[in-house]
Amino acid sequence: VRLSNSEMRKVFFDVSNETAEFDNLRINEPTSLRYKDIVLENVTMTGQWPITVRDSDVTIRNSNYLFLQPSGTSNLTLIDSHVVEFIPREFYGSITFENGTWTNAGEIIGGEDYHSAGNDFTIAGSLTIGPEVRQNLQWKDARVTREYTAVVTDQNGNPLPGLTVTIKGKSYTTDESGIVVFSLVFDETNYNQPMQLTISKQSQVLYQEDIDFFAATPIQITIQE
């Protein structure tokens, strides 16, 4: 396929059993792309960039309005990129964000013949989820492990090491950079239910905050001393 000097709403890419990288897939901007036998030259997309990923390692950089449909044991890395629709289908891999955003909608659904038998995957990295996703996200018969990084500092921005961070019955300790990493497992019963994160020092509670699936990472926490 070769397309040039054209405008379209969306083009679906199907990546299967391979390693692939995509850069600068952006809406309402002329884009050039070469992938296998597909060549786009000076093509403007006005709607979305949909990509189906099956059992593949895919890296996407500096892109927006992505419509991602991962499946199998795929591993996705999104750098400085924006997801506008997210529909995993029998996805058992991972998706890692670096300065990522997810807005609009998504469907994490299992137990439906027409859609997906199940999902059990991991989300990690720095990600901000738009408030509309909380309203629009559909979730059924699926499990997601989300990895959180919390950065704990004093009012002057200095790291606070050695503090105890407790959430969902487990305790962690901030390192020399004031950083702690923990994971929470979500399903349809608890993904929008707050879980209390507590920071303490020698049994003295210093800070408390509610965390759920939609919390932005890294979690920036300032302790007033």
Side-chain angles (χ1 to χ4, degrees), residues 89-90 92 109-113 115-119 141:
R89 299 177 183 267
E90 299 182 28
Y92 307 104
I109 295 177
E112 296 286 352
D113 292 339
H115 191 289
S116 177
N119 289 287
D141 292 338

Side-chain angles (χ1 to χ4, degrees), residues 103-128:
T103 65
N104 287 46
E107 299 176 21
I108 304 175
I109 295 177
E112 296 286 352
D113 292 339
Y114 77 94
H115 191 289
S116 177
N119 289 287
D120 189 350
F121 59 92
T122 298
I123 295 177
S126 49
L127 171 64
T128 300

Side-chain angles (χ1 to χ4, degrees), residues 187-224:
D187 59 24
E188 64 184 271
T189 67
N190 70 349
Y191 74 95
N192 59 358
Q193 300 299 316
M195 303 179 189
Q196 190 174 76
L197 179 148
T198 300
I199 299 178
S200 58
K201 182 177 182 180
Q202 296 177 350
S203 300
Q204 178 186 359
V205 174
L206 303 176
Y207 181 90
Q208 289 182 319
E209 178 180 346
D210 285 339
I211 303 294
D212 64 10
F213 175 79
F214 302 97
T217 56
I219 304 167
Q220 303 287 346
I221 298 173
T222 301
I223 303 294
Q224 302 291 334

Side-chain angles (χ1 to χ4, degrees), residues 79-148:
I79 303 169
D80 297 322
S81 293
H82 161 232
V83 177
V84 73
E85 193 166 355
F86 179 58
I87 304 181
R89 299 177 183 267
E90 299 182 28
F91 181 34
Y92 307 104
S94 67
I95 178 167
T96 301
F97 292 89
E98 295 180 23
N99 189 33
T101 56
W102 173 13
T103 65
N104 287 46
E107 299 176 21
I108 304 175
I109 295 177
E112 296 286 352
D113 292 339
Y114 77 94
H115 191 289
S116 177
N119 289 287
D120 189 350
F121 59 92
T122 298
I123 295 177
S126 49
L127 171 64
T128 300
I129 301 177
E132 69 280 4
V133 177
R134 182 185 293 274
Q135 302 299 321
N136 298 331
L137 180 63
Q138 299 180 55
W139 194 310
K140 178 185 176 183
D141 292 338
R143 191 173 83 156
V144 180
T145 300
R146 187 155 183 215
E147 181 182 283
Y148 297 83

Side-chain angles (χ1 to χ4, degrees), residues 1-221:
V1 176
R2 180 182 294 271
L3 298 170
S4 61
N5 304 317
S6 302
E7 181 178 288
M8 291 169 290
R9 191 167 68 88
K10 62 177 71 173
V11 172
F12 280 81
F13 289 90
D14 192 348
V15 182
S16 183
N17 293 293
E18 64 177 301
T19 299
E21 296 190 11
F22 298 93
D23 298 285
N24 300 306
L25 305 180
R26 305 189 67 80
I27 293 300
N28 296 321
E29 297 179 15
T31 297
S32 294
L33 176 149
R34 292 177 179 268
Y35 171 65
K36 291 187 173 181
D37 295 329
I38 301 170
V39 179
L40 306 182
E41 294 179 342
N42 194 35
V43 170
T44 300
M45 214 66 61
T46 63
Q48 297 175 328
W49 287 96
I51 303 176
T52 298
V53 182
R54 297 186 181 91
D55 297 315
S56 298
D57 292 334
V58 173
T59 300
I60 303 173
R61 297 181 179 86
N62 193 35
S63 299
N64 65 8
Y65 284 83
L66 297 169
F67 174 9
L68 298 180
Q69 299 182 96
S71 64
T73 56
S74 298
N75 293 297
L76 286 74
T77 301
L78 272 65
I79 303 169
D80 297 322
S81 293
H82 161 232
V83 177
V84 73
E85 193 166 355
F86 179 58
I87 304 181
R89 299 177 183 267
E90 299 182 28
F91 181 34
Y92 307 104
S94 67
I95 178 167
T96 301
F97 292 89
E98 295 180 23
N99 189 33
T101 56
W102 173 13
T103 65
N104 287 46
E107 299 176 21
I108 304 175
I109 295 177
E112 296 286 352
D113 292 339
Y114 77 94
H115 191 289
S116 177
N119 289 287
D120 189 350
F121 59 92
T122 298
I123 295 177
S126 49
L127 171 64
T128 300
I129 301 177
E132 69 280 4
V133 177
R134 182 185 293 274
Q135 302 299 321
N136 298 331
L137 180 63
Q138 299 180 55
W139 194 310
K140 178 185 176 183
D141 292 338
R143 191 173 83 156
V144 180
T145 300
R146 187 155 183 215
E147 181 182 283
Y148 297 83
T149 297
V151 182
V152 186
T153 62
D154 64 16
Q155 60 268 35
N156 297 317
N158 299 313
L160 294 175
L163 299 183
T164 300
V165 178
T166 304
I167 187 167
K168 204 175 180 181
K170 295 184 178 180
S171 295
Y172 310 83
T173 303
T174 56
D175 64 15
E176 291 301 316
S177 299
I179 294 174
V180 65
V181 178
F182 60 91
S183 295
L184 296 175
V185 179
F186 296 96
D187 59 24
E188 64 184 271
T189 67
N190 70 349
Y191 74 95
N192 59 358
Q193 300 299 316
M195 303 179 189
Q196 190 174 76
L197 179 148
T198 300
I199 299 178
S200 58
K201 182 177 182 180
Q202 296 177 350
S203 300
Q204 178 186 359
V205 174
L206 303 176
Y207 181 90
Q208 289 182 319
E209 178 180 346
D210 285 339
I211 303 294
D212 64 10
F213 175 79
F214 302 97
T217 56
I219 304 167
Q220 303 287 346
I221 298 173

